[in-house]
Amino acid sequence: MDLLIKNGTIATGSQVFQADIGVDGCIVTHIGRDVRGPASRVLDAAGKFVLPGGIDAHTHFEMPFMGTYTADDFESGTVAAASGGITTIIDFAMQQKGYSLFDALETWRRKADPKVCVDYALHAVVTELNETTFDEIKRVVDYGVPSFKLYMAYRNEGLLLDDASIYRVMQEAAKYGGLVGLHCENEDLIGHFTSTLLKEGKTGAEYHPKTKPTIVEGEAVRRALALAEYAGANMYVVHTSSRLGREAIRDAQQRGIRAFAETCPHYLVFTDEVYARPDGMNFVMSPPIKKEADRASLWQGLAEGDVKTMGSDHACFTTQQKLIGRDDFTKIPNGVAGTEVIIPILYSQGVREGTISLNRLVQVTSFNPARLFGLWPQKGTIAVGSDADLVIFDPEKKVRLTVDNLHSRIDHSIYEDYTCLGYPAITICRGEIVQENGHFTGKKGRGKFLRRKPHADTRLQL
Ligand code: DUC
Ligand code: ZN
Ligand code: ZN
């Protein structure tokens, strides 16, 4: 065999057990108490956990946005991902006005294929619904992209889709087992709050969260839920940031609606006090970070099971790029880095503090995204026959999330003062060691495009 991992404690979405793992080529071929070689490489995982590689279903690499491009491309972004134990990313192929969904998928594949260092898949972002795009929905699903993303905000960026179009995409996608992701924020309210503040001369970064109070997300989530319920669609709320949003989704789930919530590491760590800091602009993302009660509620959602996944919304910008909005917060490119910190933060702040179990960490970082996005059972677990996407996680490794320890192509870290206890020591992507003790050891372009399966049973359950 090619790789033998001895003496580790394996954690999946449902089990924790002691076993060795044998890998041949890209695939796990043996799991057992005393797997023997010969093997080309043997790793001793005594005292460590072996987790299924993380799936970050929310990245924006090399994305044109707010007059610039996100700073990480598919190379630096996936090096960062691998360094944090993420072995699959799902990025968003953004439809440009006047172009088809397939144009966007082709553009994104051209950007990603030569550079990507871990496996990847794509969501199709619908920014304009015309007869071409409507008819494309089935073909996009058949191509291996059974998930869509619709924006209820960002009119000025050309991303917003009106409610009728959202409803039509939901209804059409549902026919083919697609999942519809939504950026839920009420654009008209944002516009009202923004123009009021700007008229008062309030232009600093500290005013960004004031344009998007919790009702902005809460209302939009409820509207999206109503549309999805009527359309009979499965829906996924990206970057849930508030108690109102989370509770709306939880209540809908309890009524049998197939709605799933994702949250992001920054909403679990910070409160809106960060916007008063001198580096407040670095925290400008949408939705913005909210209050302590929201942060606590999202942790509760992870623990209780209604928040199903962790995505990073990795869309980062250098200080120079952020300074585009020095005199007007509405021009600060929105977004932060995060793909590298998902697993370390969930472990340090969640598992170590007893808020979530190790199984729950695996569910939200790997098992659930694999199930929701049609990657199961190739990804999302450790099993004979599954891809050898593995993280050897050292629960005693201390890493401060400073700019020097992280791998994004930006010059700052919003987590500068955050020290993790527990960190991925080795990341293995389809049998290849891509990260060892903070050093990237993989190869640019080795990641594969993953064609995903739609949900055969549209009554998706998790
Ligand atoms: N939010 C961000 O902060 N950046 C990219 C897109 C988004 O929805
Ligand atoms: Zn968004
Ligand atoms: Zn996003």
Side-chain angles (χ1 to χ4, degrees), residues 60 63 65 149 151 154 183 239 284-287 313 315 334-336:
H60 300 278
M63 174 180 72
F65 189 59
K149 160 90 175 281
Y151 284 86
Y154 285 127
H183 174 125
H239 51 47
V284 169
M285 85 287 283
S286 289
D313 198 7
N334 281 205
V336 295

Side-chain angles (χ1 to χ4, degrees), residues 151-170:
Y151 284 86
M152 300 171 87
Y154 285 127
R155 183 179 278 126
N156 292 344
E157 305 309 314
L159 301 178
L160 179 138
L161 203 64
D162 63 274
D163 291 348
S165 301
I166 290 173
Y167 170 73
R168 291 185 66 207
V169 174
M170 285 175 163

